[in-house]
């Protein structure tokens, strides 16, 4: 991902960045959440925008769109610049991409300092228990699938997570494609019967897979809408369809494989450690999927403590920002309370006084 040069979106004349103020950004493929957080943990302004997809739109256009959302959050916060930008971005899949995007964000002038991470780190940070060190593993399954882990000493475990060329399987989009493949073969006789052959076209009001294939191929239904078929797949699995159930079980295997490998690479496989599940697919509460994940992890990583992260990932981006600015325990508690989390005990800081844990991460461990 190359960085396109673009004039920085300079702060308004006379704008002063308050020391310790954080601009938190969680930018996924489908939506972006931005929050301006004061040094005391108060949320001063928020905004929501569209997805962040530099590979599709180009980096300049993606940052322009992100800048519009940032501008609205700044306006609501009554400022035009933050002390630090903590941005967790989709499509920042490799350490080199994180570094390039951080340079591009700094050029925009949104904060005096900036750090960019893959958006999976936001889920991990948001889901860590109150007062816990940055230690554990997160698996995110939304449009795609990814996994990261981190230790207090700065070591990380991560995967390239850029599709089939990096060994990935799963994610909402991948599941939809698998469902379409099986349904097409079921209808024309190449594959085993499945309720998906009627359920998938039925979702779009069509009578057959042939009609759905034609509509997708000719653009009458945008390919981007195939993600709508993932809930249809889970519903068919819950009704007992063997093909759908097999896909759900395969996703559970993939989630557990990624988590177990990350735990092993961090030396946590035989220790008590959190394994946090996030993203639209894993947070949706599909019983068979999540129960299967817990059962498999109990066998492969029996000391893992599994939890589903329902807090918005922008909270994780903001907490990572507070880690950098040396915020007080009260600031962490106030920020978490804003997003519906329980207040933090008065003793100790949210991050156990740890600085940003992945600053010294080894890029070769990606």
């Amino acid at each position: 991902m190359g960085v396109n040069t673009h004039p920085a979106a300079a702060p308004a004349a006379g704008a002063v960045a308050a020391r310790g103020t954080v601009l938190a950004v969680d930018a996924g493929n489908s939506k972006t959440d931005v929050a301006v957080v004061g040094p005391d943990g108060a949320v001063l302004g928020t905004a929501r925008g569209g997805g962040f997809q530099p590979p599709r739109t180009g980096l300049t256009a993606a940052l322009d769109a992100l800048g519009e959302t940032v501008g609205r959050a700044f306006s609501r916060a009554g400022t035009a610049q933050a002390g630090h930008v903590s941005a967790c971005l989709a499509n920042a899949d490799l350490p080199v991409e994180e570094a390039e995007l951080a340079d591009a964000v700094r050029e925009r002038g949104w904060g005096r300092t900036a750090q960019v991470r893959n958006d999976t780190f936001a889920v991990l940070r948001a889901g860590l228990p109150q007062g816990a060190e940055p230690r554990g593993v997160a698996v995110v399954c939304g449009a795609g699938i990814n996994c990261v882990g981190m230790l207090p000493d700065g070591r990380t475990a991560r995967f390239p997570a850029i599709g089939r060329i990096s060994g990935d399987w799963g994610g909402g989009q991948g599941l939809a494609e698998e469902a379409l493949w099986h349904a097409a073969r079921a209808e024309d006789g190449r594959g085993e019967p499945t309720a998906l052959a009627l359920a998938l076209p039925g979702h779009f009001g069509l009578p057959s897979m042939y009609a759905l294939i034609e509509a997708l191929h000719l653009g009458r239904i945008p390919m981007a809408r195939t993600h709508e078929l993932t809930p249809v797949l889970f519903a068919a699995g819950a009704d007992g369809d063997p093909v759908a159930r097999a896909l759900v079980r395969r996703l559970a295997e993939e989630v557990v494989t990624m988590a177990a490998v990350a735990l092993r690479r961090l030396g946590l496989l035989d220790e008590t450690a959190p394994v946090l599940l996030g993203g639209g697919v894993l947070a949706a509460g599909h019983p068979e999927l999540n129960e299967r994940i817990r059962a498999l992890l109990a066998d492969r990583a029996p000391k893992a403590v599994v939890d589903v992260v329902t807090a918005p990932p922008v909270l994780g981006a903001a907490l990572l920002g507070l880690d950098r600015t040396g915020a007080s325990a009260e600031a962490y508690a106030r920020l978490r309370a804003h997003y519906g989390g329980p207040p933090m005990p008065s003793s100790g800081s949210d991050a156990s006084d740890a600085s940003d844990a992945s600053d010294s991460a080894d890029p070769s461990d990606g």
Side-chain angles (χ1 to χ4, degrees), residues 99-177:
E100 290 176 345
L101 282 164
D103 288 341
V105 168
R106 291 185 193 101
E107 289 181 4
R108 295 287 171 141
W110 299 333
R112 292 175 176 173
T113 61
Q115 184 169 40
V116 169
R117 299 171 178 272
N118 178 268
D119 55 344
T120 309
F121 282 101
V123 173
L124 175 57
R125 187 65 183 88
L128 289 173
Q130 301 283 9
E133 294 179 314
R135 173 181 176 277
V137 167
V139 182
V140 174
C141 186
I145 190 167
N146 201 356
C147 173
V148 300
M150 61 196 305
L151 292 175
D153 64 9
R155 285 179 290 157
T156 65
R158 59 191 299 176
F159 301 86
I162 52 178
R164 291 188 64 82
I165 65 169
S166 61
D168 304 337
W169 189 92
Q173 192 64 43
L175 285 173
E177 291 172 0

Side-chain angles (χ1 to χ4, degrees), residues 197-213 215-216 221:
L198 290 177
L200 300 188
H203 173 77
F204 295 107
L206 297 174
S208 67
M209 277 303 299
Y210 185 92
L212 178 55
I213 293 165
L216 290 169
I221 295 176

Side-chain angles (χ1 to χ4, degrees), residues 317-360:
L319 289 170
L320 286 167
L322 292 187
D323 292 346
R324 286 294 298 273
T325 60
S328 68
E330 290 74 18
Y332 284 101
R334 184 174 289 109
L335 176 62
R336 285 188 178 273
H338 177 88
Y339 286 103
M344 186 184 63
S346 58
S347 61
S349 73
D350 189 83
S352 296
D353 298 323
S355 62
D356 189 31
S358 291
D359 277 351
S360 58

Side-chain angles (χ1 to χ4, degrees), residues 282-306:
L282 295 177
H286 301 293
E288 182 162 2
L289 174 62
N290 289 15
E291 289 169 12
R292 182 67 174 164
I293 289 171
R294 291 177 186 276
L296 292 172
L297 267 175
D299 180 59
R300 296 186 59 181
K303 293 188 176 182
V305 180
V306 184

